[in-house]
Amino acid sequence: MSTARRPDPSGSPQPLLTTVAIVAACMAFVVIGALQALYGPAIPALRKEYGISPAVAGLSLSGHFAAAVIGVLVYHLLCTRLGHRVLLGASYLLMALGSVIFATAPNWPLALVGTFVIGLGFGGVDYGLNHLFAVAFGRRSTAMLNLLNGHFGVGAIAGPALVGRLGSEHYPGIFVGVAGVCLLILFTLGGVATREPAPVTGATSGIGARVAPIIAAFIGIYVLHVAIETGVGGWEPTHLETVGYTAATAATATSAYWAAMTIGRFVVVPLCLRFSAPAILTVCCVGMAGFLLLATLPSVAPYAYFGVGLAIAPIFPTCLPWLNRAVPSVAAAGAYVMAASMIGGVAFPPLLGVVIDGLDVKALPVVLFALAGVCLVLSFWLRGNAPDPNGLSASSPGSTGTTRTSEVQV
């Protein structure tokens, strides 16, 4: 395991993330992946316990995401004043507290309060650890971020599987268990530096007035690729059943799609050490578009959706370090794109539903292909307008590039 270090005025490097902190961060992402995925499988028990409709039960996820956006923005605003160690600790405590409230709430309104508290901590952990990994490992940040976010997928798969094995009526015990893990992670915070390294000045040389369009392009990619991600996850079963597959096959194919989101992040880790972030993004956007076109063919649609999952997987963790290197003078850039992606994840599924209702569910791959096409255009624009001077050379796989102020000691 690597240890991220930053320069120190005294001349001796100080650890930004120790090995223990890196392992704990990966465990934290397993936790937040499981938390996000636990609400759905718990809905049958929630409806029975509180006597609520499916739509009302679904508010648990909405409250979670709304609070997560707030958590991201609050973390960013307070980071300079309080530092990562304090804010990560507060975020873990919020997740633990919210999980206990949700598990023991005597009524539905209090349970919703629990999901909101969980969401606040979730947003802080998600943003804080993604941001730390984006700045902590120099040119290896892209690989490390994919490794980190791959563990989110592990949790997203393990959480529902645990509910399936124990039964939805045991969701309170699972949430209490999550709270316990959050409290254990608190003991590893000594391995997290309070302050991060200063960005390299001049990294934006030649960009100048294009900073705002660059951030807007990254936001566009984040919002649209999350729209595609949730669009496939939400509508793939319906589309496959409409074109002739059984419900069981459609469900299995959808599970395989979510598994591909995890597999893709682990598979791309070694590739990130050879190819630049711009190159990986472009290939991913081409892959998304190509596999979505294949999904229009009923005979290969389930396999095509698996390919879409593989192509989408690296985009989120790959773009963050590139964004930080492209516009280091805008400290809030990462917060903007992460908050926008969360908002997009909530807003786009119902919007996509309206579009499909006006057309036909068979048009799903075509509609999502159009979004992937916009992502591809944005990726080409960014390659030309936001080069990655401190990452790997886009035209030279294996090039070592220039390291930022923080470096990884292997």
PDB file of all heavy atoms in Angstrom, residues 295-324:
ATOM      1  N   ALA A 295     -27.195  -1.753 -27.543  1.00  0.00           N
ATOM      2  CA  ALA A 295     -28.356  -2.099 -26.721  1.00  0.00           C
ATOM      3  C   ALA A 295     -29.668  -1.948 -27.475  1.00  0.00           C
ATOM      4  O   ALA A 295     -30.703  -2.428 -27.005  1.00  0.00           O
ATOM      5  CB  ALA A 295     -28.378  -1.235 -25.457  1.00  0.00           C
ATOM      6  N   THR A 296     -29.647  -1.288 -28.623  1.00  0.00           N
ATOM      7  CA  THR A 296     -30.865  -1.193 -29.443  1.00  0.00           C
ATOM      8  C   THR A 296     -31.171  -2.529 -30.125  1.00  0.00           C
ATOM      9  O   THR A 296     -32.274  -2.718 -30.648  1.00  0.00           O
ATOM     10  CB  THR A 296     -30.733  -0.093 -30.513  1.00  0.00           C
ATOM     11  OG1 THR A 296     -29.640  -0.406 -31.390  1.00  0.00           O
ATOM     12  CG2 THR A 296     -30.474   1.260 -29.870  1.00  0.00           C
ATOM     13  N   LEU A 297     -30.186  -3.452 -30.153  1.00  0.00           N
ATOM     14  CA  LEU A 297     -30.382  -4.767 -30.757  1.00  0.00           C
ATOM     15  C   LEU A 297     -30.800  -5.747 -29.665  1.00  0.00           C
ATOM     16  O   LEU A 297     -30.004  -6.066 -28.772  1.00  0.00           O
ATOM     17  CB  LEU A 297     -29.090  -5.256 -31.420  1.00  0.00           C
ATOM     18  CG  LEU A 297     -28.485  -4.328 -32.477  1.00  0.00           C
ATOM     19  CD1 LEU A 297     -27.149  -4.886 -32.972  1.00  0.00           C
ATOM     20  CD2 LEU A 297     -29.461  -4.148 -33.639  1.00  0.00           C
ATOM     21  N   PRO A 298     -32.034  -6.227 -29.667  1.00  0.00           N
ATOM     22  CA  PRO A 298     -32.522  -7.088 -28.580  1.00  0.00           C
ATOM     23  C   PRO A 298     -31.644  -8.296 -28.303  1.00  0.00           C
ATOM     24  O   PRO A 298     -31.489  -8.699 -27.153  1.00  0.00           O
ATOM     25  CB  PRO A 298     -33.914  -7.509 -29.077  1.00  0.00           C
ATOM     26  CG  PRO A 298     -34.342  -6.383 -29.967  1.00  0.00           C
ATOM     27  CD  PRO A 298     -33.088  -5.933 -30.658  1.00  0.00           C
ATOM     28  N   SER A 299     -31.043  -8.872 -29.337  1.00  0.00           N
ATOM     29  CA  SER A 299     -30.278 -10.107 -29.151  1.00  0.00           C
ATOM     30  C   SER A 299     -29.031  -9.923 -28.287  1.00  0.00           C
ATOM     31  O   SER A 299     -28.553 -10.876 -27.665  1.00  0.00           O
ATOM     32  CB  SER A 299     -29.866 -10.678 -30.517  1.00  0.00           C
ATOM     33  OG  SER A 299     -29.075  -9.739 -31.227  1.00  0.00           O
ATOM     34  N   VAL A 300     -28.493  -8.705 -28.242  1.00  0.00           N
ATOM     35  CA  VAL A 300     -27.256  -8.478 -27.464  1.00  0.00           C
ATOM     36  C   VAL A 300     -27.445  -7.434 -26.370  1.00  0.00           C
ATOM     37  O   VAL A 300     -26.481  -7.057 -25.697  1.00  0.00           O
ATOM     38  CB  VAL A 300     -26.095  -8.040 -28.397  1.00  0.00           C
ATOM     39  CG1 VAL A 300     -25.751  -9.145 -29.369  1.00  0.00           C
ATOM     40  CG2 VAL A 300     -26.438  -6.750 -29.129  1.00  0.00           C
ATOM     41  N   ALA A 301     -28.678  -6.984 -26.168  1.00  0.00           N
ATOM     42  CA  ALA A 301     -28.923  -5.878 -25.231  1.00  0.00           C
ATOM     43  C   ALA A 301     -28.383  -6.145 -23.815  1.00  0.00           C
ATOM     44  O   ALA A 301     -27.735  -5.264 -23.233  1.00  0.00           O
ATOM     45  CB  ALA A 301     -30.417  -5.551 -25.186  1.00  0.00           C
ATOM     46  N   PRO A 302     -28.601  -7.322 -23.211  1.00  0.00           N
ATOM     47  CA  PRO A 302     -28.086  -7.524 -21.845  1.00  0.00           C
ATOM     48  C   PRO A 302     -26.568  -7.386 -21.763  1.00  0.00           C
ATOM     49  O   PRO A 302     -26.032  -6.820 -20.808  1.00  0.00           O
ATOM     50  CB  PRO A 302     -28.530  -8.951 -21.507  1.00  0.00           C
ATOM     51  CG  PRO A 302     -29.688  -9.222 -22.409  1.00  0.00           C
ATOM     52  CD  PRO A 302     -29.369  -8.487 -23.667  1.00  0.00           C
ATOM     53  N   TYR A 303     -25.873  -7.905 -22.776  1.00  0.00           N
ATOM     54  CA  TYR A 303     -24.414  -7.821 -22.793  1.00  0.00           C
ATOM     55  C   TYR A 303     -23.952  -6.379 -23.060  1.00  0.00           C
ATOM     56  O   TYR A 303     -22.936  -5.924 -22.517  1.00  0.00           O
ATOM     57  CB  TYR A 303     -23.849  -8.763 -23.855  1.00  0.00           C
ATOM     58  CG  TYR A 303     -24.388 -10.167 -23.742  1.00  0.00           C
ATOM     59  CD1 TYR A 303     -25.407 -10.612 -24.582  1.00  0.00           C
ATOM     60  CD2 TYR A 303     -23.895 -11.045 -22.772  1.00  0.00           C
ATOM     61  CE1 TYR A 303     -25.926 -11.899 -24.470  1.00  0.00           C
ATOM     62  CE2 TYR A 303     -24.399 -12.335 -22.654  1.00  0.00           C
ATOM     63  CZ  TYR A 303     -25.412 -12.750 -23.504  1.00  0.00           C
ATOM     64  OH  TYR A 303     -25.922 -14.015 -23.380  1.00  0.00           O
ATOM     65  N   ALA A 304     -24.719  -5.679 -23.880  1.00  0.00           N
ATOM     66  CA  ALA A 304     -24.384  -4.289 -24.172  1.00  0.00           C
ATOM     67  C   ALA A 304     -24.492  -3.428 -22.917  1.00  0.00           C
ATOM     68  O   ALA A 304     -23.641  -2.565 -22.672  1.00  0.00           O
ATOM     69  CB  ALA A 304     -25.298  -3.747 -25.272  1.00  0.00           C
ATOM     70  N   TYR A 305     -25.507  -3.670 -22.112  1.00  0.00           N
ATOM     71  CA  TYR A 305     -25.655  -2.900 -20.876  1.00  0.00           C
ATOM     72  C   TYR A 305     -24.499  -3.188 -19.906  1.00  0.00           C
ATOM     73  O   TYR A 305     -24.053  -2.308 -19.172  1.00  0.00           O
ATOM     74  CB  TYR A 305     -26.995  -3.199 -20.216  1.00  0.00           C
ATOM     75  CG  TYR A 305     -28.167  -2.492 -20.866  1.00  0.00           C
ATOM     76  CD1 TYR A 305     -29.298  -3.189 -21.277  1.00  0.00           C
ATOM     77  CD2 TYR A 305     -28.135  -1.106 -21.064  1.00  0.00           C
ATOM     78  CE1 TYR A 305     -30.371  -2.528 -21.874  1.00  0.00           C
ATOM     79  CE2 TYR A 305     -29.202  -0.449 -21.656  1.00  0.00           C
ATOM     80  CZ  TYR A 305     -30.313  -1.160 -22.062  1.00  0.00           C
ATOM     81  OH  TYR A 305     -31.382  -0.502 -22.651  1.00  0.00           O
ATOM     82  N   PHE A 306     -24.011  -4.430 -19.899  1.00  0.00           N
ATOM     83  CA  PHE A 306     -22.836  -4.751 -19.083  1.00  0.00           C
ATOM     84  C   PHE A 306     -21.645  -3.911 -19.559  1.00  0.00           C
ATOM     85  O   PHE A 306     -20.888  -3.366 -18.749  1.00  0.00           O
ATOM     86  CB  PHE A 306     -22.515  -6.241 -19.197  1.00  0.00           C
ATOM     87  CG  PHE A 306     -21.372  -6.684 -18.327  1.00  0.00           C
ATOM     88  CD1 PHE A 306     -21.580  -7.023 -17.002  1.00  0.00           C
ATOM     89  CD2 PHE A 306     -20.078  -6.758 -18.838  1.00  0.00           C
ATOM     90  CE1 PHE A 306     -20.527  -7.441 -16.188  1.00  0.00           C
ATOM     91  CE2 PHE A 306     -19.016  -7.159 -18.038  1.00  0.00           C
ATOM     92  CZ  PHE A 306     -19.238  -7.498 -16.709  1.00  0.00           C
ATOM     93  N   GLY A 307     -21.507  -3.786 -20.884  1.00  0.00           N
ATOM     94  CA  GLY A 307     -20.444  -2.953 -21.444  1.00  0.00           C
ATOM     95  C   GLY A 307     -20.606  -1.493 -21.077  1.00  0.00           C
ATOM     96  O   GLY A 307     -19.615  -0.795 -20.810  1.00  0.00           O
ATOM     97  N   VAL A 308     -21.853  -1.017 -21.038  1.00  0.00           N
ATOM     98  CA  VAL A 308     -22.101   0.366 -20.617  1.00  0.00           C
ATOM     99  C   VAL A 308     -21.600   0.569 -19.189  1.00  0.00           C
ATOM    100  O   VAL A 308     -20.960   1.585 -18.871  1.00  0.00           O
ATOM    101  CB  VAL A 308     -23.605   0.716 -20.704  1.00  0.00           C
ATOM    102  CG1 VAL A 308     -23.870   2.101 -20.130  1.00  0.00           C
ATOM    103  CG2 VAL A 308     -24.073   0.665 -22.157  1.00  0.00           C
ATOM    104  N   GLY A 309     -21.861  -0.395 -18.308  1.00  0.00           N
ATOM    105  CA  GLY A 309     -21.393  -0.295 -16.926  1.00  0.00           C
ATOM    106  C   GLY A 309     -19.881  -0.214 -16.845  1.00  0.00           C
ATOM    107  O   GLY A 309     -19.324   0.588 -16.088  1.00  0.00           O
ATOM    108  N   LEU A 310     -19.190  -1.051 -17.633  1.00  0.00           N
ATOM    109  CA  LEU A 310     -17.727  -1.010 -17.644  1.00  0.00           C
ATOM    110  C   LEU A 310     -17.212   0.342 -18.113  1.00  0.00           C
ATOM    111  O   LEU A 310     -16.229   0.870 -17.568  1.00  0.00           O
ATOM    112  CB  LEU A 310     -17.177  -2.113 -18.558  1.00  0.00           C
ATOM    113  CG  LEU A 310     -17.341  -3.561 -18.105  1.00  0.00           C
ATOM    114  CD1 LEU A 310     -16.835  -4.508 -19.185  1.00  0.00           C
ATOM    115  CD2 LEU A 310     -16.601  -3.811 -16.797  1.00  0.00           C
ATOM    116  N   ALA A 311     -17.880   0.918 -19.119  1.00  0.00           N
ATOM    117  CA  ALA A 311     -17.427   2.190 -19.686  1.00  0.00           C
ATOM    118  C   ALA A 311     -17.699   3.365 -18.750  1.00  0.00           C
ATOM    119  O   ALA A 311     -16.887   4.297 -18.653  1.00  0.00           O
ATOM    120  CB  ALA A 311     -18.110   2.428 -21.038  1.00  0.00           C
ATOM    121  N   ILE A 312     -18.815   3.338 -18.049  1.00  0.00           N
ATOM    122  CA  ILE A 312     -19.161   4.442 -17.144  1.00  0.00           C
ATOM    123  C   ILE A 312     -18.260   4.443 -15.910  1.00  0.00           C
ATOM    124  O   ILE A 312     -17.866   5.504 -15.407  1.00  0.00           O
ATOM    125  CB  ILE A 312     -20.630   4.325 -16.690  1.00  0.00           C
ATOM    126  CG1 ILE A 312     -21.575   4.638 -17.849  1.00  0.00           C
ATOM    127  CG2 ILE A 312     -20.931   5.281 -15.530  1.00  0.00           C
ATOM    128  CD1 ILE A 312     -23.037   4.466 -17.496  1.00  0.00           C
ATOM    129  N   ALA A 313     -17.895   3.255 -15.441  1.00  0.00           N
ATOM    130  CA  ALA A 313     -17.249   3.099 -14.136  1.00  0.00           C
ATOM    131  C   ALA A 313     -16.094   4.058 -13.864  1.00  0.00           C
ATOM    132  O   ALA A 313     -16.030   4.665 -12.789  1.00  0.00           O
ATOM    133  CB  ALA A 313     -16.791   1.652 -13.970  1.00  0.00           C
ATOM    134  N   PRO A 314     -15.130   4.237 -14.777  1.00  0.00           N
ATOM    135  CA  PRO A 314     -13.964   5.062 -14.431  1.00  0.00           C
ATOM    136  C   PRO A 314     -14.202   6.569 -14.500  1.00  0.00           C
ATOM    137  O   PRO A 314     -13.331   7.335 -14.060  1.00  0.00           O
ATOM    138  CB  PRO A 314     -12.911   4.648 -15.482  1.00  0.00           C
ATOM    139  CG  PRO A 314     -13.444   3.414 -16.128  1.00  0.00           C
ATOM    140  CD  PRO A 314     -14.931   3.525 -16.037  1.00  0.00           C
ATOM    141  N   ILE A 315     -15.315   7.025 -15.041  1.00  0.00           N
ATOM    142  CA  ILE A 315     -15.451   8.452 -15.336  1.00  0.00           C
ATOM    143  C   ILE A 315     -15.409   9.297 -14.067  1.00  0.00           C
ATOM    144  O   ILE A 315     -14.653  10.281 -13.983  1.00  0.00           O
ATOM    145  CB  ILE A 315     -16.749   8.714 -16.127  1.00  0.00           C
ATOM    146  CG1 ILE A 315     -16.643   8.087 -17.522  1.00  0.00           C
ATOM    147  CG2 ILE A 315     -16.990  10.223 -16.257  1.00  0.00           C
ATOM    148  CD1 ILE A 315     -17.894   8.250 -18.370  1.00  0.00           C
ATOM    149  N   PHE A 316     -16.212   8.963 -13.078  1.00  0.00           N
ATOM    150  CA  PHE A 316     -16.283   9.773 -11.859  1.00  0.00           C
ATOM    151  C   PHE A 316     -14.912   9.911 -11.188  1.00  0.00           C
ATOM    152  O   PHE A 316     -14.446  11.029 -10.943  1.00  0.00           O
ATOM    153  CB  PHE A 316     -17.305   9.160 -10.892  1.00  0.00           C
ATOM    154  CG  PHE A 316     -17.545   9.980  -9.656  1.00  0.00           C
ATOM    155  CD1 PHE A 316     -18.625  10.845  -9.578  1.00  0.00           C
ATOM    156  CD2 PHE A 316     -16.693   9.891  -8.563  1.00  0.00           C
ATOM    157  CE1 PHE A 316     -18.845  11.610  -8.432  1.00  0.00           C
ATOM    158  CE2 PHE A 316     -16.902  10.646  -7.414  1.00  0.00           C
ATOM    159  CZ  PHE A 316     -17.983  11.512  -7.360  1.00  0.00           C
ATOM    160  N   PRO A 317     -14.216   8.799 -10.884  1.00  0.00           N
ATOM    161  CA  PRO A 317     -12.927   8.960 -10.197  1.00  0.00           C
ATOM    162  C   PRO A 317     -11.799   9.454 -11.088  1.00  0.00           C
ATOM    163  O   PRO A 317     -10.807   9.991 -10.580  1.00  0.00           O
ATOM    164  CB  PRO A 317     -12.633   7.546  -9.679  1.00  0.00           C
ATOM    165  CG  PRO A 317     -13.418   6.639 -10.552  1.00  0.00           C
ATOM    166  CD  PRO A 317     -14.635   7.398 -10.960  1.00  0.00           C
ATOM    167  N   THR A 318     -11.923   9.297 -12.396  1.00  0.00           N
ATOM    168  CA  THR A 318     -10.839   9.708 -13.294  1.00  0.00           C
ATOM    169  C   THR A 318     -10.809  11.214 -13.504  1.00  0.00           C
ATOM    170  O   THR A 318      -9.736  11.825 -13.630  1.00  0.00           O
ATOM    171  CB  THR A 318     -10.973   8.988 -14.646  1.00  0.00           C
ATOM    172  OG1 THR A 318     -10.794   7.575 -14.447  1.00  0.00           O
ATOM    173  CG2 THR A 318      -9.931   9.477 -15.648  1.00  0.00           C
ATOM    174  N   CYS A 319     -11.968  11.847 -13.527  1.00  0.00           N
ATOM    175  CA  CYS A 319     -12.026  13.280 -13.843  1.00  0.00           C
ATOM    176  C   CYS A 319     -11.665  14.182 -12.662  1.00  0.00           C
ATOM    177  O   CYS A 319     -11.231  15.317 -12.880  1.00  0.00           O
ATOM    178  CB  CYS A 319     -13.419  13.646 -14.353  1.00  0.00           C
ATOM    179  SG  CYS A 319     -13.742  13.081 -16.034  1.00  0.00           S
ATOM    180  N   LEU A 320     -11.842  13.706 -11.438  1.00  0.00           N
ATOM    181  CA  LEU A 320     -11.589  14.576 -10.280  1.00  0.00           C
ATOM    182  C   LEU A 320     -10.154  15.097 -10.210  1.00  0.00           C
ATOM    183  O   LEU A 320      -9.937  16.306 -10.070  1.00  0.00           O
ATOM    184  CB  LEU A 320     -11.962  13.861  -8.990  1.00  0.00           C
ATOM    185  CG  LEU A 320     -13.407  13.999  -8.512  1.00  0.00           C
ATOM    186  CD1 LEU A 320     -13.587  13.271  -7.189  1.00  0.00           C
ATOM    187  CD2 LEU A 320     -13.826  15.449  -8.375  1.00  0.00           C
ATOM    188  N   PRO A 321      -9.121  14.229 -10.286  1.00  0.00           N
ATOM    189  CA  PRO A 321      -7.763  14.772 -10.228  1.00  0.00           C
ATOM    190  C   PRO A 321      -7.427  15.640 -11.423  1.00  0.00           C
ATOM    191  O   PRO A 321      -6.679  16.617 -11.296  1.00  0.00           O
ATOM    192  CB  PRO A 321      -6.876  13.521 -10.167  1.00  0.00           C
ATOM    193  CG  PRO A 321      -7.728  12.399 -10.606  1.00  0.00           C
ATOM    194  CD  PRO A 321      -9.138  12.763 -10.280  1.00  0.00           C
ATOM    195  N   TRP A 322      -7.973  15.299 -12.582  1.00  0.00           N
ATOM    196  CA  TRP A 322      -7.758  16.130 -13.775  1.00  0.00           C
ATOM    197  C   TRP A 322      -8.352  17.516 -13.555  1.00  0.00           C
ATOM    198  O   TRP A 322      -7.726  18.535 -13.857  1.00  0.00           O
ATOM    199  CB  TRP A 322      -8.383  15.431 -14.983  1.00  0.00           C
ATOM    200  CG  TRP A 322      -8.301  16.179 -16.279  1.00  0.00           C
ATOM    201  CD1 TRP A 322      -7.501  17.258 -16.577  1.00  0.00           C
ATOM    202  CD2 TRP A 322      -9.041  15.900 -17.464  1.00  0.00           C
ATOM    203  NE1 TRP A 322      -7.711  17.658 -17.869  1.00  0.00           N
ATOM    204  CE2 TRP A 322      -8.646  16.845 -18.433  1.00  0.00           C
ATOM    205  CE3 TRP A 322      -9.999  14.951 -17.803  1.00  0.00           C
ATOM    206  CZ2 TRP A 322      -9.190  16.854 -19.738  1.00  0.00           C
ATOM    207  CZ3 TRP A 322     -10.528  14.957 -19.074  1.00  0.00           C
ATOM    208  CH2 TRP A 322     -10.131  15.896 -20.024  1.00  0.00           C
ATOM    209  N   LEU A 323      -9.564  17.573 -13.009  1.00  0.00           N
ATOM    210  CA  LEU A 323     -10.197  18.860 -12.716  1.00  0.00           C
ATOM    211  C   LEU A 323      -9.345  19.677 -11.746  1.00  0.00           C
ATOM    212  O   LEU A 323      -9.120  20.877 -11.957  1.00  0.00           O
ATOM    213  CB  LEU A 323     -11.586  18.621 -12.124  1.00  0.00           C
ATOM    214  CG  LEU A 323     -12.311  19.844 -11.544  1.00  0.00           C
ATOM    215  CD1 LEU A 323     -12.616  20.866 -12.632  1.00  0.00           C
ATOM    216  CD2 LEU A 323     -13.597  19.413 -10.844  1.00  0.00           C
ATOM    217  N   ASN A 324      -8.861  19.042 -10.688  1.00  0.00           N
ATOM    218  CA  ASN A 324      -8.052  19.767  -9.707  1.00  0.00           C
ATOM    219  C   ASN A 324      -6.766  20.298 -10.311  1.00  0.00           C
ATOM    220  O   ASN A 324      -6.292  21.380  -9.951  1.00  0.00           O
ATOM    221  CB  ASN A 324      -7.731  18.848  -8.521  1.00  0.00           C
ATOM    222  CG  ASN A 324      -8.923  18.659  -7.612  1.00  0.00           C
ATOM    223  OD1 ASN A 324      -9.780  19.518  -7.521  1.00  0.00           O
ATOM    224  ND2 ASN A 324      -8.996  17.522  -6.945  1.00  0.00           N
TER     225      ASN A 324
END
